[in-house]
Amino acid sequence: MFELTVGSLLNIVAMLAAVAVIAALLIWIERRVLGFLSERLGPNRVGPFGILQSVADVVKLITKEDWVPPFSDKLVFVVAPLIVPIAMLLSFGVLPIAPGVGVMDLNIGLLWVFAMAGLGAYSAMLGGLASNNKFALLGGLRAAGQMISYEVFMGVSILGVVILGDSFNLREIVEAQRDGWFVFPQFVGFVVFVIAGLAETKRWPFDLAEGESEIISGFNTEYSGMKFGLFFVGEYIGMLLLSALIPVLFFGGWYAPFGLELPNPVVSGLFWMFIKTSFWVFFFILVRAALVRPRYDQLMNYGWLVMLPLSLLNLLITGAVVLAQGN
Amino acid sequence: MNAAVRPEAELPAIIKALYERFGESTFVRQHTAESMPTLWVGRDKVMAVLRYLRDEASPRYEMLLDLTAIDERMRVHREGQPASDFTVVYHPTSFSGNCDIRIKVALRMGDLSIPTAIPLWSSANWQERECWDLFGIVFTGHPNLTRILCPPTWKGHALRKDHPARATEMEPYRMSDEIQDREQEALRFRPEEWGLSRKSDTSEFMFLNFGPNHPAAHGVIRFALQLDGENVLDVVPDVGYHHRGAEKMAERQTWHTFIPYTDRIDYLGGVMNNLPYVMAVEKMAGIQVPERVKVIRVMLAEFFRICSHLLFYGTWAVDLGQLSPLFYCFVDREKAFNIIESICGARMHPGWFRIGGVAQDLPKGWDKLIREFVEYFPKRLTEYDKMVMANSVIRQRTRGVGVIDTAGAFDWAMTGPALRATGLEWDYRKNRPYSGYENFEFEVPVGVNGDCYDRAAVRVEEMRQSCRIIKQCLENMPEGPYKSDHPLATPPLKEKSRLDIETLINHFLGVSWGPVMDPTEVTMTIEATKGLNMYYMVNDGGIGSYRTRIRTPSFIHIQAIPFLSRGLMLADFTAVVATTDFVMADVDR
């Protein structure tokens, strides 16, 4: 066996391939699961059980006419959809998958994730503005408002974990959970993080920026072909990132629950990360099938009047308890 | 002395009251097949009469159910009616007194103008625009007397008898780029024409074309929204994209051959559209349909009510942003359509009712399918209640949104679930039973607040009641023929025309030419899926209708959308549009 080190070429290549493949699979899984949940079959034609649906979609999207509306701001219009998948992929760099598996080991890992998520928000905003379309404009504005607000609570909600883990480094946060998951002491932070994270990925029920029944397709109304596909891919990578971050921050990362560890720590880590991430992926798909989109002002009120005080309170109490215990 | 034989005692109370108030010489009375009080009045008096009916008469006539016109220039039989080239027909209705009246005004060519009724009823606005568009009658004082169903560039008035009814009667049409540009330019929304300003002191407004192709527009309709950020300041609905000229077609078809066209009016209502039409013709012909026919008709009409409401339910949830219910509703709708298909042979437009009966008898084993459905469906509805109606986000989104009270609903001529959601317990099936509805046990669900949530809740409960009615049909289906043996029933019973030369002749005449009835007028209204659907037909003794007026609920309801949605947010607007529950084919006809 060769030694696995964070940042080795093998790690980088494997990570990139895994994220790309899983994100593509996710699209299929989501459509399939949603299909079953609504008494349909979902895509089942391409490959066994329709597993190659995303390949067919990509081929179709790439071969479609690459149309840039003549009335748009062309440079921004083309650049905007690139931002979100790149930012989301970069976030994966700091994600600790298992001991020795990962791309970067940054001591500001968590901040890096937030910075990238913040950058990702520009995709929808710029895409909406550059389209020069009224529906896209409304979508872009909604995206800007929603993501900037929810980023605030997302950041604050996670500070409790940082206090407990005593680090911004995601690996150290995971290692700090060796004896107990942070979800128990940080339950409020966890709930706020899941909701805010959902809003960050602009997924149902927080898809106000797309809001099909209101503003057609929101910020991506004018997009077609692979440029539209990139928004899509970005959204799914974002969902995958969120589903992986929740275990890392709250559910002990690669550590096995109930002592069910496999013999090899790396295999065990990979296995448990996979299970935990899958759980959250399915959770988000179920949420999409069940919940209703709130109105824009209700979303904002909920954020600033419920989530922000909750997360601040959580931070305050966590800090006080840790201080009291530390002395 | 028997009081009943004296002609004064026979006079309906409202006519007597009008005679007393305005003098008998003001009016000319006309007799019609359905014996609705019908009075002709001069143009100078009509507004006073209508105002009296609305404000002072007892009972008060709260709603202007319909306003239309007739081109009388080609009439043959107008005995006893005042001379008229174009007749404007007002149809106020009273909910408190449960009665109708028809007021007619004769207009002469060259002076086709009449005062607008908008000060009395807001709902007159679009109906008068329609009359101007299709007949060229000018309503003086109308704020926007512009085309509504035909394109703004249209020449002529389509429902006039001298306007061609078929494309083959006109020059071949070619659309050059030039014409296309001109047509598109004519469709451009100009806020100034609707009295909307482009900016206020603090902000510049955005005008958004919500449609004609929009996921939540439910068909080809355009709402021009005046937006301040996401706040809807005003709405201008633009209809007519789906106009096929159904009323014009009715003038070319025989009584029998028009039946399939009615299916396409409210295309979610299927055979329910046939019902007022065939009942109106039966009224004129004096046909009494057998009991079995009545029950079969009720059963299928209620199936279509369920189908239509299910579509509403699912799309409403999607418009609010809930994904799954739509699919569940479509699964149930599919089950209902399977039953309809096994009975009628078609799914959405069976065109299955006939003058004097229905097309065929029920197939063998029909009861098994329906029994399964009535047992399965209420359980599903209970599940949807938990998923949709009890959902707190949906409640937040729809309670107190798009509120209208009963008086407002009268003013905007809103009927059906929209009217019942305001708390008025009034259902045509209950209050003026037709086709044997008086024999069924069912409740009339009502709302309290008249908001989006109540409108949806009323429809959901109506599905339960429809299911109840279907169950009663199932258990009490009378034996007997599926068609009347009246000579005007078209086509007659097949078995009889094989054996009986008289019936064979009737069959031949009815199908190759058309049934002929004595000249008269008739109005028949039913509680359709979306509100009151009314057929008003003028029979001039021909093989088909001289004038067919189809009063559809959707057309009237869309008019009220600006009233309902001013001051709401864009997301609320889709909720209001969804709960208005219109079908564009029903709007534009």
Side-chain angles (χ1 to χ4, degrees):
Chain A
M1 277 293 286
F2 49 88
E3 200 59 21
L4 271 172
T5 47
V6 172
S8 68
L9 191 63
L10 173 72
N11 250 328
I12 294 173
V13 173
M15 188 80 159
L16 196 62
V19 171
V21 170
I22 293 177
L25 269 181
L26 253 187
I27 298 178
W28 169 73
I29 291 173
E30 166 153 60
R31 292 178 59 186
R32 218 54 229 264
V33 172
L34 277 180
F36 288 131
L37 290 176
S38 49
E39 301 188 42
R40 293 177 292 129
L41 287 172
N44 65 350
R45 296 286 134 164
V46 193
F49 307 107
I51 200 164
L52 298 177
Q53 180 66 39
S54 299
V55 178
D57 285 345
V58 167
V59 170
K60 184 194 116 182
L61 288 175
I62 286 177
T63 50
K64 274 185 105 165
E65 184 189 356
D66 185 35
W67 192 68
V68 178
F71 44 80
S72 66
D73 184 339
K74 293 192 181 58
L75 178 68
V76 183
F77 187 84
V78 173
V79 169
L82 285 170
I83 299 173
V84 64
I86 291 177
M88 290 299 157
L89 277 176
L90 284 176
S91 305
F92 266 98
V94 292
L95 194 75
I97 307 290
V101 181
V103 178
M104 288 185 281
D105 188 8
L106 276 185
N107 58 356
I108 50 154
L110 200 53
L111 294 181
W112 171 266
V113 171
F114 281 115
M116 287 302 136
L119 273 181
Y122 280 99
S123 230
M125 259 191 278
L126 294 178
L129 285 175
S131 297
N132 197 8
N133 168 312
K134 289 172 183 174
F135 290 104
L137 176 68
L138 282 173
L141 285 176
R142 283 181 175 194
Q146 173 182 338
M147 297 178 81
I148 289 170
S149 316
Y150 275 69
E151 216 151 85
V152 174
F153 332 128
M154 193 161 143
V156 177
S157 71
I158 228 66
L159 287 179
V161 170
V162 174
I163 292 173
L164 292 180
D166 203 16
S167 169
F168 276 108
N169 186 322
L170 287 170
R171 281 180 186 277
E172 286 172 19
I173 288 176
V174 172
E175 275 155 17
Q177 297 181 69
R178 178 187 288 274
D179 305 319
W181 293 354
F182 283 163
V183 64
F184 302 114
Q186 282 299 309
F187 190 74
V188 177
F190 156 70
V191 172
V192 174
F193 179 75
V194 169
I195 296 174
L198 207 54
E200 271 303 288
T201 53
K202 296 194 296 298
R203 276 184 57 84
W204 212 289
F206 295 111
D207 64 332
L208 279 88
E210 267 185 62
E212 192 196 342
S213 59
E214 296 147 28
I215 49 174
I216 301 193
S217 200
F219 64 91
N220 63 33
T221 303
E222 290 289 348
Y223 282 90
S224 64
M226 203 53 216
K227 286 202 283 297
F228 165 75
L230 282 173
F231 279 123
F232 218 66
V233 168
E235 181 191 319
Y236 279 86
I237 300 181
M239 171 180 161
L240 189 62
L241 176 71
L242 182 64
S243 304
L245 262 183
I246 294 172
V248 165
L249 295 173
F250 294 100
F251 291 89
W254 61 70
Y255 288 116
F258 315 116
L260 295 171
E261 245 157 282
L262 304 181
N264 183 326
V266 174
V267 174
S268 172
L270 285 175
F271 174 76
W272 281 111
M273 264 308 277
F274 180 74
I275 296 288
K276 290 174 183 175
T277 307
S278 304
F279 174 85
W280 286 102
V281 165
F282 278 98
F283 174 80
F284 289 131
I285 296 176
L286 292 182
V287 163
R288 175 169 180 179
L291 291 188
V292 191
R293 187 192 307 131
R295 206 169 59 206
Y296 183 65
D297 60 326
Q298 290 170 346
L299 182 87
M300 285 303 186
N301 283 345
Y302 184 66
W304 291 103
L305 300 180
V306 180
M307 307 272 277
L308 185 64
L310 259 184
S311 49
L312 282 175
L313 212 63
N314 177 51
L315 177 63
L316 195 72
I317 293 171
T318 311
V321 170
V322 168
L323 269 182
Q325 281 176 344
N327 291 339
Chain B
M1 195 171 144
N2 189 350
V5 294
R6 281 166 47 195
E8 296 80 27
E10 278 179 10
L11 268 187
I14 184 63
I15 295 191
K16 212 176 346 178
L18 281 168
Y19 282 0
E20 271 168 26
R21 172 69 189 260
F22 294 96
E24 196 170 341
S25 56
T26 314
F27 302 98
V28 176
R29 191 171 172 213
Q30 187 191 339
H31 293 274
T32 60
E34 85 289 58
S35 66
M36 185 193 293
T38 304
L39 293 174
W40 290 77
V41 62
R43 175 170 60 187
D44 47 336
K45 290 274 177 60
V46 62
M47 282 311 129
V49 169
L50 290 174
R51 188 177 294 279
Y52 170 78
L53 287 171
R54 193 192 67 161
D55 294 336
E56 295 167 43
S58 150
R60 289 177 52 201
Y61 287 73
E62 300 100 346
M63 186 187 285
L64 182 65
L65 194 61
D66 198 19
L67 190 169
T68 187
I70 308 167
D71 179 355
E72 307 257 26
R73 291 173 299 170
M74 310 286 278
R75 285 293 291 272
V76 183
H77 299 282
R78 295 190 72 246
E79 293 82 7
Q81 298 178 28
S84 170
D85 291 327
F86 284 87
T87 305
V88 178
V89 185
Y90 296 87
H91 182 156
T93 192
S94 166
F95 288 87
S96 48
N98 198 11
C99 55
D100 290 343
I101 188 168
R102 190 188 286 132
I103 303 290
K104 291 182 159 189
V105 182
L107 298 177
R108 300 313 299 252
M109 204 63 199
D111 185 20
L112 294 176
S113 73
I114 188 168
T116 174
I118 297 177
L120 294 174
W121 287 288
S122 305
S123 63
N125 189 322
W126 276 27
Q127 290 169 328
E128 290 179 351
R129 278 177 71 191
E130 191 188 356
C131 277
W132 186 82
D133 186 3
L134 301 179
F135 290 97
I137 294 166
V138 175
F139 291 84
T140 47
H142 191 292
N144 297 100
L145 201 61
T146 51
R147 299 239 175 225
I148 185 163
L149 293 177
C150 295
T153 52
W154 194 260
K155 301 265 189 309
H157 298 284
L159 273 182
R160 286 190 178 182
K161 289 285 176 184
D162 48 14
H163 191 280
R166 290 184 297 181
T168 47
E169 296 166 21
M170 301 158 89
E171 290 287 304
Y173 184 75
R174 282 190 187 81
M175 189 180 241
S176 61
D177 288 350
E178 209 174 294
I179 297 178
Q180 185 174 339
D181 290 346
R182 198 173 64 222
E183 294 288 335
Q184 291 201 336
E185 189 54 35
L187 285 174
R188 184 185 293 281
F189 178 70
R190 290 176 192 80
E192 294 77 18
E193 288 173 10
W194 299 92
L196 305 180
S197 55
R198 286 184 187 267
K199 58 183 176 195
S200 72
D201 297 341
T202 50
S203 55
E204 199 173 319
F205 302 135
M206 177 159 92
F207 290 93
L208 185 68
N209 271 323
F210 192 96
N213 293 304
H214 188 285
H218 296 234
V220 275
I221 182 173
R222 176 170 71 152
F223 297 98
L225 301 179
Q226 184 189 27
L227 292 179
D228 182 9
E230 288 227 10
N231 296 316
V232 179
L233 298 181
D234 211 335
V235 185
V236 179
D238 176 21
V239 302
Y241 295 90
H242 211 309
H243 181 55
R244 289 98 71 214
E247 293 178 8
K248 187 82 175 172
M249 286 185 219
E251 295 172 11
R252 289 186 43 83
Q253 299 293 329
T254 71
W255 297 110
H256 173 57
T257 56
F258 187 62
I259 293 174
Y261 289 89
T262 62
D263 271 14
R264 277 89 178 154
I265 302 298
D266 167 10
Y267 57 69
L268 299 177
V271 295
M272 198 188 270
N273 292 287
N274 305 159
L275 193 55
Y277 178 76
V278 295
M279 282 199 306
V281 179
E282 282 157 9
K283 189 75 143 193
M284 284 190 284
I287 301 175
Q288 293 290 329
V289 296
E291 281 303 309
R292 184 176 175 85
V293 171
K294 286 186 182 172
V295 179
I296 294 177
R297 283 179 176 176
V298 164
M299 185 170 80
L300 281 162
E302 293 304 321
F303 260 117
F304 270 104
R305 191 185 309 279
I306 289 179
C307 287
S308 171
H309 283 0
L310 273 176
L311 186 100
F312 155 76
Y313 205 6
T315 51
W316 178 62
V318 162
D319 284 349
L320 290 173
Q322 194 175 29
L323 204 55
S324 304
L326 178 76
F327 298 105
Y328 301 141
C329 289
F330 266 71
V331 169
D332 294 346
R333 207 161 158 260
E334 191 63 27
K335 288 196 199 305
F337 273 136
N338 281 340
I339 296 173
I340 290 165
E341 189 184 11
S342 65
I343 293 176
C344 309
R347 293 156 59 83
M348 285 184 77
H349 311 129
W352 197 63
F353 292 172
R354 295 286 181 272
I355 300 164
V358 293
Q360 294 144 330
D361 207 351
L362 293 172
K364 280 187 189 131
W366 64 276
D367 50 331
K368 184 169 169 286
L369 283 175
I370 293 176
R371 184 159 292 124
E372 278 168 17
F373 184 83
V374 293
E375 266 157 36
Y376 155 91
F377 186 58
K379 287 181 207 143
R380 293 278 287 202
L381 277 180
T382 315
E383 269 179 53
Y384 305 156
D385 275 352
K386 285 183 207 149
M387 185 165 42
V388 184
M389 302 310 287
N391 187 309
S392 59
V393 181
I394 285 196
R395 285 175 183 226
Q396 269 180 29
R397 291 269 320 260
T398 54
R399 286 218 165 137
V401 171
V403 181
I404 192 164
D405 59 4
T406 310
F410 286 151
D411 189 36
W412 288 102
M414 291 174 94
T415 52
L419 178 60
R420 290 191 282 279
T422 66
L424 183 76
E425 191 177 334
W426 207 94
D427 189 312
Y428 223 85
R429 296 173 292 171
K430 225 18 166 207
N431 295 60
R432 293 193 213 173
Y434 52 89
S435 194
Y437 268 110
E438 65 274 16
N439 303 324
F440 292 94
E441 267 180 31
F442 64 98
E443 273 144 39
V444 180
V446 291
V448 184
N449 305 316
D451 53 14
C452 286
Y453 186 84
D454 279 2
R455 284 196 282 276
V458 164
R459 291 195 181 96
V460 171
E461 190 52 35
E462 277 187 14
M463 284 195 271
R464 281 211 179 82
Q465 299 301 330
S466 291
C467 201
R468 228 174 118 190
I469 295 174
I470 293 172
K471 204 169 181 181
Q472 293 169 45
C473 292
L474 175 72
E475 281 155 6
N476 305 305
M477 181 64 73
E479 291 300 317
Y482 63 91
K483 205 175 270 179
S484 160
D485 58 1
H486 192 282
L488 286 172
T490 315
L493 281 166
K494 191 77 185 163
E495 297 76 37
K496 284 191 115 178
S497 49
R498 283 209 191 94
L499 301 170
D500 170 17
I501 183 65
E502 196 69 26
T503 319
L504 184 65
I505 293 170
N506 283 337
H507 188 159
F508 183 73
L509 285 178
V511 173
S512 63
W513 193 20
V516 176
M517 289 156 293
D518 290 339
T520 184
E521 284 177 24
V522 70
T523 294
M524 194 52 78
T525 313
I526 65 157
E527 184 71 43
T529 55
K530 294 162 183 66
L532 297 187
N533 183 7
M534 182 176 92
Y535 277 73
Y536 166 50
M537 288 191 286
V538 179
N539 173 5
D540 202 37
I543 54 168
S545 170
Y546 180 83
R547 163 91 177 104
T548 302
R549 162 66 179 169
I550 309 170
R551 187 264 188 211
T552 56
S554 301
F555 178 74
I556 312 281
H557 288 174
I558 285 200
Q559 219 189 150
I561 286 181
F563 173 80
L564 292 175
S565 45
R566 273 182 207 124
L568 298 178
M569 291 190 82
L570 189 57
D572 295 330
F573 176 70
T574 52
V576 169
V577 168
T579 49
T580 307
D581 188 27
F582 54 82
V583 172
M584 282 322 290
D586 201 32
V587 175
D588 295 339
R589 302 180 300 278

